[in-house]
Amino acid sequence: MIDIDDIKPVGSSLQRPECVLAAANGRVYTSDWRGGVTVIEPDGQQWSLLANESTFKVKPNGITLMADGSLLLCHLGDETGGVYKLDERGELSPFLLEVDGAPLPPTNFAHLDIHGRVWVTVSTRLLPRARGYNSENADGFIILIDDAGARIVADRLGYTNECVVHPDGSRLFVNETFARKLTAFDIADDGRLSNRNTIIEFGEGTFPDGLVFDEDGAAWITSIVSNRVIRVSSDGKQEIIVEDCDKEHLEWVEQAYTEGGMGRPHLDGVKSKHLRNISSLAFGGPSLNVAYMGCLLGNSIYRFSSPVKGHPPSHWNFNGPKNHNIKEQ
């Protein structure tokens, strides 16, 4: 297990950095609740790319880096959702606002795979979303956007969170946060999902949120509340890599979850030494051996040296948006 004192903050004054991405050029990206992303350069300097002033205020949860330098932002509104495209000039445009004829509820996450397809998750159809913090609720779903359009490809999931295509390319993995499961589907050539399979069911104190893979094909899971990072090997064995939580607080949350009474206070009042509700993870650094963690309640993200290298994500070699605050010489 990583010593909590060996985990260091990255960035400052960040605004709800729930999602974190890293790229080969050394950049790290985090979602910015003010309406865009914050970019942390290899030298530690940071700058923000925010949507230009408009009547609509996007609240980014998951973010996705695209090949043209733009980013996709998953809008986690109080009552509305959708996926928006933010270009490097700060222009915001709709990418996906409805599916199967219905407007998108608050939208959680989007994943770009190596084939250019975008997979989108909606955690729950219930409003407010805290009504979905229940092990009995299963109304989350997954959308696929490809050349054939957008359609729901999996439904009735227990609070759908991050989803990522496995490095073998044949399976889509997804976290069901309040069902406490890591689930996988087989992917057909046309994007259809089948053979739903529970890879692992997590125990007390684990609420799986973020998801990435390492070079061995093992899944790395971040857990909100308990501030755990768990490595799940291909044979289903769990190894806790990071943990930072208060035992009594975790017991309080666990009791509320067991009794069906979990709500916002159980997520927003996390007690820990350093980490403030870690919600995502990205491998970065020159050799993909640095793990960066997004923090729902923090004003920094965090990093540690990983004992295993990460698998390069689909956006690994993308340059990302240009910083137009810097004048060319």
PDB file of all heavy atoms in Angstrom, residues 258-285:
ATOM      1  N   THR A 258     -26.634   0.810   4.025  1.00  0.00           N
ATOM      2  CA  THR A 258     -27.302  -0.464   4.310  1.00  0.00           C
ATOM      3  C   THR A 258     -28.785  -0.270   4.585  1.00  0.00           C
ATOM      4  O   THR A 258     -29.617  -1.088   4.181  1.00  0.00           O
ATOM      5  CB  THR A 258     -26.639  -1.154   5.520  1.00  0.00           C
ATOM      6  OG1 THR A 258     -25.246  -1.366   5.241  1.00  0.00           O
ATOM      7  CG2 THR A 258     -27.297  -2.496   5.820  1.00  0.00           C
ATOM      8  N   GLU A 259     -29.123   0.860   5.219  1.00  0.00           N
ATOM      9  CA  GLU A 259     -30.514   1.133   5.588  1.00  0.00           C
ATOM     10  C   GLU A 259     -31.272   1.873   4.489  1.00  0.00           C
ATOM     11  O   GLU A 259     -32.445   2.201   4.658  1.00  0.00           O
ATOM     12  CB  GLU A 259     -30.553   1.934   6.888  1.00  0.00           C
ATOM     13  CG  GLU A 259     -29.987   1.168   8.082  1.00  0.00           C
ATOM     14  CD  GLU A 259     -29.894   2.010   9.342  1.00  0.00           C
ATOM     15  OE1 GLU A 259     -30.139   3.241   9.248  1.00  0.00           O
ATOM     16  OE2 GLU A 259     -29.588   1.450  10.410  1.00  0.00           O
ATOM     17  N   GLY A 260     -30.612   2.148   3.371  1.00  0.00           N
ATOM     18  CA  GLY A 260     -31.267   2.836   2.266  1.00  0.00           C
ATOM     19  C   GLY A 260     -31.446   4.319   2.476  1.00  0.00           C
ATOM     20  O   GLY A 260     -32.294   4.941   1.818  1.00  0.00           O
ATOM     21  N   GLY A 261     -30.637   4.910   3.356  1.00  0.00           N
ATOM     22  CA  GLY A 261     -30.789   6.332   3.662  1.00  0.00           C
ATOM     23  C   GLY A 261     -29.586   7.175   3.285  1.00  0.00           C
ATOM     24  O   GLY A 261     -29.413   8.282   3.802  1.00  0.00           O
ATOM     25  N   MET A 262     -28.761   6.694   2.367  1.00  0.00           N
ATOM     26  CA  MET A 262     -27.563   7.447   1.984  1.00  0.00           C
ATOM     27  C   MET A 262     -27.962   8.666   1.155  1.00  0.00           C
ATOM     28  O   MET A 262     -28.830   8.593   0.280  1.00  0.00           O
ATOM     29  CB  MET A 262     -26.622   6.552   1.186  1.00  0.00           C
ATOM     30  CG  MET A 262     -25.244   7.138   0.978  1.00  0.00           C
ATOM     31  SD  MET A 262     -24.118   5.886   0.316  1.00  0.00           S
ATOM     32  CE  MET A 262     -22.624   6.833   0.095  1.00  0.00           C
ATOM     33  N   GLY A 263     -27.326   9.814   1.450  1.00  0.00           N
ATOM     34  CA  GLY A 263     -27.636  11.054   0.742  1.00  0.00           C
ATOM     35  C   GLY A 263     -26.409  11.929   0.578  1.00  0.00           C
ATOM     36  O   GLY A 263     -25.270  11.502   0.816  1.00  0.00           O
ATOM     37  N   ARG A 264     -26.645  13.174   0.177  1.00  0.00           N
ATOM     38  CA  ARG A 264     -25.532  14.093  -0.075  1.00  0.00           C
ATOM     39  C   ARG A 264     -24.614  14.272   1.128  1.00  0.00           C
ATOM     40  O   ARG A 264     -23.387  14.326   0.959  1.00  0.00           O
ATOM     41  CB  ARG A 264     -26.064  15.447  -0.528  1.00  0.00           C
ATOM     42  CG  ARG A 264     -26.689  15.490  -1.907  1.00  0.00           C
ATOM     43  CD  ARG A 264     -25.784  15.048  -3.005  1.00  0.00           C
ATOM     44  NE  ARG A 264     -24.440  15.591  -2.957  1.00  0.00           N
ATOM     45  CZ  ARG A 264     -23.502  15.350  -3.864  1.00  0.00           C
ATOM     46  NH1 ARG A 264     -23.781  14.563  -4.894  1.00  0.00           N
ATOM     47  NH2 ARG A 264     -22.310  15.883  -3.768  1.00  0.00           N
ATOM     48  N   PRO A 265     -25.128  14.387   2.364  1.00  0.00           N
ATOM     49  CA  PRO A 265     -24.203  14.585   3.495  1.00  0.00           C
ATOM     50  C   PRO A 265     -23.168  13.477   3.634  1.00  0.00           C
ATOM     51  O   PRO A 265     -22.059  13.717   4.105  1.00  0.00           O
ATOM     52  CB  PRO A 265     -25.147  14.615   4.708  1.00  0.00           C
ATOM     53  CG  PRO A 265     -26.454  15.077   4.155  1.00  0.00           C
ATOM     54  CD  PRO A 265     -26.541  14.448   2.789  1.00  0.00           C
ATOM     55  N   HIS A 266     -23.505  12.284   3.187  1.00  0.00           N
ATOM     56  CA  HIS A 266     -22.578  11.163   3.310  1.00  0.00           C
ATOM     57  C   HIS A 266     -21.449  11.238   2.281  1.00  0.00           C
ATOM     58  O   HIS A 266     -20.393  10.636   2.462  1.00  0.00           O
ATOM     59  CB  HIS A 266     -23.335   9.842   3.173  1.00  0.00           C
ATOM     60  CG  HIS A 266     -24.410   9.682   4.193  1.00  0.00           C
ATOM     61  ND1 HIS A 266     -25.729   9.996   3.935  1.00  0.00           N
ATOM     62  CD2 HIS A 266     -24.356   9.276   5.492  1.00  0.00           C
ATOM     63  CE1 HIS A 266     -26.445   9.778   5.028  1.00  0.00           C
ATOM     64  NE2 HIS A 266     -25.648   9.342   5.980  1.00  0.00           N
ATOM     65  N   LEU A 267     -21.686  11.987   1.208  1.00  0.00           N
ATOM     66  CA  LEU A 267     -20.632  12.185   0.212  1.00  0.00           C
ATOM     67  C   LEU A 267     -19.884  13.495   0.422  1.00  0.00           C
ATOM     68  O   LEU A 267     -18.697  13.599   0.125  1.00  0.00           O
ATOM     69  CB  LEU A 267     -21.221  12.172  -1.208  1.00  0.00           C
ATOM     70  CG  LEU A 267     -21.211  10.830  -1.934  1.00  0.00           C
ATOM     71  CD1 LEU A 267     -22.142   9.852  -1.242  1.00  0.00           C
ATOM     72  CD2 LEU A 267     -21.647  11.019  -3.387  1.00  0.00           C
ATOM     73  N   ASP A 268     -20.582  14.499   0.931  1.00  0.00           N
ATOM     74  CA  ASP A 268     -20.006  15.836   1.022  1.00  0.00           C
ATOM     75  C   ASP A 268     -19.283  16.116   2.337  1.00  0.00           C
ATOM     76  O   ASP A 268     -18.665  17.169   2.487  1.00  0.00           O
ATOM     77  CB  ASP A 268     -21.107  16.890   0.835  1.00  0.00           C
ATOM     78  CG  ASP A 268     -21.716  16.845  -0.554  1.00  0.00           C
ATOM     79  OD1 ASP A 268     -21.089  16.250  -1.448  1.00  0.00           O
ATOM     80  OD2 ASP A 268     -22.814  17.399  -0.739  1.00  0.00           O
ATOM     81  N   GLY A 269     -19.359  15.192   3.282  1.00  0.00           N
ATOM     82  CA  GLY A 269     -18.714  15.417   4.571  1.00  0.00           C
ATOM     83  C   GLY A 269     -17.585  14.446   4.834  1.00  0.00           C
ATOM     84  O   GLY A 269     -17.396  14.019   5.970  1.00  0.00           O
ATOM     85  N   VAL A 270     -16.843  14.077   3.792  1.00  0.00           N
ATOM     86  CA  VAL A 270     -15.796  13.071   3.918  1.00  0.00           C
ATOM     87  C   VAL A 270     -14.730  13.494   4.931  1.00  0.00           C
ATOM     88  O   VAL A 270     -14.376  14.671   5.035  1.00  0.00           O
ATOM     89  CB  VAL A 270     -15.148  12.795   2.538  1.00  0.00           C
ATOM     90  CG1 VAL A 270     -14.419  14.013   2.012  1.00  0.00           C
ATOM     91  CG2 VAL A 270     -14.237  11.581   2.598  1.00  0.00           C
ATOM     92  N   LYS A 271     -14.254  12.520   5.711  1.00  0.00           N
ATOM     93  CA  LYS A 271     -13.201  12.764   6.692  1.00  0.00           C
ATOM     94  C   LYS A 271     -11.979  11.933   6.307  1.00  0.00           C
ATOM     95  O   LYS A 271     -12.085  10.731   6.071  1.00  0.00           O
ATOM     96  CB  LYS A 271     -13.670  12.404   8.098  1.00  0.00           C
ATOM     97  CG  LYS A 271     -14.782  13.308   8.625  1.00  0.00           C
ATOM     98  CD  LYS A 271     -15.145  12.954  10.054  1.00  0.00           C
ATOM     99  CE  LYS A 271     -16.243  13.879  10.572  1.00  0.00           C
ATOM    100  NZ  LYS A 271     -16.601  13.554  11.983  1.00  0.00           N
ATOM    101  N   SER A 272     -10.827  12.590   6.240  1.00  0.00           N
ATOM    102  CA  SER A 272      -9.611  11.917   5.794  1.00  0.00           C
ATOM    103  C   SER A 272      -8.406  12.741   6.212  1.00  0.00           C
ATOM    104  O   SER A 272      -8.539  13.873   6.699  1.00  0.00           O
ATOM    105  CB  SER A 272      -9.622  11.757   4.267  1.00  0.00           C
ATOM    106  OG  SER A 272      -9.773  13.031   3.651  1.00  0.00           O
ATOM    107  N   LYS A 273      -7.218  12.195   5.998  1.00  0.00           N
ATOM    108  CA  LYS A 273      -5.991  12.913   6.319  1.00  0.00           C
ATOM    109  C   LYS A 273      -5.631  13.891   5.209  1.00  0.00           C
ATOM    110  O   LYS A 273      -5.300  15.047   5.477  1.00  0.00           O
ATOM    111  CB  LYS A 273      -4.848  11.921   6.533  1.00  0.00           C
ATOM    112  CG  LYS A 273      -3.537  12.581   6.984  1.00  0.00           C
ATOM    113  CD  LYS A 273      -2.484  11.540   7.301  1.00  0.00           C
ATOM    114  CE  LYS A 273      -1.192  12.221   7.788  1.00  0.00           C
ATOM    115  NZ  LYS A 273      -0.144  11.226   8.129  1.00  0.00           N
ATOM    116  N   HIS A 274      -5.666  13.438   3.959  1.00  0.00           N
ATOM    117  CA  HIS A 274      -5.281  14.279   2.824  1.00  0.00           C
ATOM    118  C   HIS A 274      -6.353  14.319   1.735  1.00  0.00           C
ATOM    119  O   HIS A 274      -6.727  15.390   1.257  1.00  0.00           O
ATOM    120  CB  HIS A 274      -3.975  13.778   2.190  1.00  0.00           C
ATOM    121  CG  HIS A 274      -2.757  13.986   3.015  1.00  0.00           C
ATOM    122  ND1 HIS A 274      -2.399  15.206   3.541  1.00  0.00           N
ATOM    123  CD2 HIS A 274      -1.781  13.124   3.418  1.00  0.00           C
ATOM    124  CE1 HIS A 274      -1.274  15.083   4.229  1.00  0.00           C
ATOM    125  NE2 HIS A 274      -0.880  13.830   4.158  1.00  0.00           N
ATOM    126  N   LEU A 275      -6.787  13.160   1.296  1.00  0.00           N
ATOM    127  CA  LEU A 275      -7.595  13.052   0.093  1.00  0.00           C
ATOM    128  C   LEU A 275      -9.037  13.465   0.351  1.00  0.00           C
ATOM    129  O   LEU A 275      -9.606  13.129   1.399  1.00  0.00           O
ATOM    130  CB  LEU A 275      -7.538  11.631  -0.455  1.00  0.00           C
ATOM    131  CG  LEU A 275      -6.122  11.110  -0.732  1.00  0.00           C
ATOM    132  CD1 LEU A 275      -6.165   9.670  -1.229  1.00  0.00           C
ATOM    133  CD2 LEU A 275      -5.406  12.006  -1.737  1.00  0.00           C
ATOM    134  N   ARG A 276      -9.622  14.138  -0.626  1.00  0.00           N
ATOM    135  CA  ARG A 276     -10.939  14.726  -0.457  1.00  0.00           C
ATOM    136  C   ARG A 276     -11.932  14.121  -1.449  1.00  0.00           C
ATOM    137  O   ARG A 276     -12.385  14.760  -2.365  1.00  0.00           O
ATOM    138  CB  ARG A 276     -10.856  16.244  -0.634  1.00  0.00           C
ATOM    139  CG  ARG A 276      -9.897  16.937   0.320  1.00  0.00           C
ATOM    140  CD  ARG A 276     -10.369  16.850   1.751  1.00  0.00           C
ATOM    141  NE  ARG A 276     -11.667  17.501   1.925  1.00  0.00           N
ATOM    142  CZ  ARG A 276     -12.457  17.301   2.964  1.00  0.00           C
ATOM    143  NH1 ARG A 276     -12.104  16.431   3.904  1.00  0.00           N
ATOM    144  NH2 ARG A 276     -13.602  17.939   3.045  1.00  0.00           N
ATOM    145  N   ASN A 277     -12.207  12.853  -1.232  1.00  0.00           N
ATOM    146  CA  ASN A 277     -13.166  12.127  -2.069  1.00  0.00           C
ATOM    147  C   ASN A 277     -12.623  11.898  -3.475  1.00  0.00           C
ATOM    148  O   ASN A 277     -13.092  12.489  -4.455  1.00  0.00           O
ATOM    149  CB  ASN A 277     -14.509  12.862  -2.123  1.00  0.00           C
ATOM    150  CG  ASN A 277     -15.678  11.948  -1.783  1.00  0.00           C
ATOM    151  OD1 ASN A 277     -15.511  10.736  -1.701  1.00  0.00           O
ATOM    152  ND2 ASN A 277     -16.849  12.522  -1.597  1.00  0.00           N
ATOM    153  N   ILE A 278     -11.648  11.012  -3.589  1.00  0.00           N
ATOM    154  CA  ILE A 278     -11.049  10.742  -4.894  1.00  0.00           C
ATOM    155  C   ILE A 278     -12.073  10.061  -5.807  1.00  0.00           C
ATOM    156  O   ILE A 278     -12.776   9.145  -5.403  1.00  0.00           O
ATOM    157  CB  ILE A 278      -9.762   9.900  -4.784  1.00  0.00           C
ATOM    158  CG1 ILE A 278      -9.995   8.587  -4.039  1.00  0.00           C
ATOM    159  CG2 ILE A 278      -8.669  10.703  -4.116  1.00  0.00           C
ATOM    160  CD1 ILE A 278      -8.820   7.652  -4.091  1.00  0.00           C
ATOM    161  N   SER A 279     -12.138  10.551  -7.039  1.00  0.00           N
ATOM    162  CA  SER A 279     -13.220  10.152  -7.930  1.00  0.00           C
ATOM    163  C   SER A 279     -12.746   9.652  -9.283  1.00  0.00           C
ATOM    164  O   SER A 279     -13.547   9.108 -10.049  1.00  0.00           O
ATOM    165  CB  SER A 279     -14.154  11.353  -8.143  1.00  0.00           C
ATOM    166  OG  SER A 279     -13.403  12.526  -8.424  1.00  0.00           O
ATOM    167  N   SER A 280     -11.478   9.843  -9.614  1.00  0.00           N
ATOM    168  CA  SER A 280     -10.967   9.367 -10.899  1.00  0.00           C
ATOM    169  C   SER A 280      -9.469   9.154 -10.787  1.00  0.00           C
ATOM    170  O   SER A 280      -8.831   9.601  -9.821  1.00  0.00           O
ATOM    171  CB  SER A 280     -11.278  10.366 -12.024  1.00  0.00           C
ATOM    172  OG  SER A 280     -10.618  11.592 -11.809  1.00  0.00           O
ATOM    173  N   LEU A 281      -8.908   8.479 -11.785  1.00  0.00           N
ATOM    174  CA  LEU A 281      -7.476   8.219 -11.793  1.00  0.00           C
ATOM    175  C   LEU A 281      -6.995   8.205 -13.239  1.00  0.00           C
ATOM    176  O   LEU A 281      -7.701   7.733 -14.132  1.00  0.00           O
ATOM    177  CB  LEU A 281      -7.164   6.884 -11.109  1.00  0.00           C
ATOM    178  CG  LEU A 281      -5.687   6.571 -10.844  1.00  0.00           C
ATOM    179  CD1 LEU A 281      -5.524   5.833  -9.522  1.00  0.00           C
ATOM    180  CD2 LEU A 281      -5.097   5.718 -11.973  1.00  0.00           C
ATOM    181  N   ALA A 282      -5.803   8.749 -13.444  1.00  0.00           N
ATOM    182  CA  ALA A 282      -5.181   8.725 -14.774  1.00  0.00           C
ATOM    183  C   ALA A 282      -3.701   8.421 -14.617  1.00  0.00           C
ATOM    184  O   ALA A 282      -3.038   8.985 -13.741  1.00  0.00           O
ATOM    185  CB  ALA A 282      -5.367  10.064 -15.483  1.00  0.00           C
ATOM    186  N   PHE A 283      -3.192   7.534 -15.436  1.00  0.00           N
ATOM    187  CA  PHE A 283      -1.751   7.294 -15.467  1.00  0.00           C
ATOM    188  C   PHE A 283      -1.097   8.311 -16.380  1.00  0.00           C
ATOM    189  O   PHE A 283      -1.581   8.594 -17.479  1.00  0.00           O
ATOM    190  CB  PHE A 283      -1.458   5.883 -15.971  1.00  0.00           C
ATOM    191  CG  PHE A 283      -1.785   4.798 -14.988  1.00  0.00           C
ATOM    192  CD1 PHE A 283      -2.876   3.960 -15.190  1.00  0.00           C
ATOM    193  CD2 PHE A 283      -1.005   4.615 -13.860  1.00  0.00           C
ATOM    194  CE1 PHE A 283      -3.181   2.955 -14.293  1.00  0.00           C
ATOM    195  CE2 PHE A 283      -1.294   3.612 -12.940  1.00  0.00           C
ATOM    196  CZ  PHE A 283      -2.388   2.779 -13.156  1.00  0.00           C
ATOM    197  N   GLY A 284       0.033   8.867 -15.923  1.00  0.00           N
ATOM    198  CA  GLY A 284       0.771   9.845 -16.707  1.00  0.00           C
ATOM    199  C   GLY A 284       2.251   9.739 -16.428  1.00  0.00           C
ATOM    200  O   GLY A 284       2.748   8.696 -15.982  1.00  0.00           O
ATOM    201  N   GLY A 285       2.955  10.838 -16.689  1.00  0.00           N
ATOM    202  CA  GLY A 285       4.403  10.817 -16.561  1.00  0.00           C
ATOM    203  C   GLY A 285       5.023  10.219 -17.813  1.00  0.00           C
ATOM    204  O   GLY A 285       4.345   9.563 -18.612  1.00  0.00           O
TER     205      GLY A 285
END
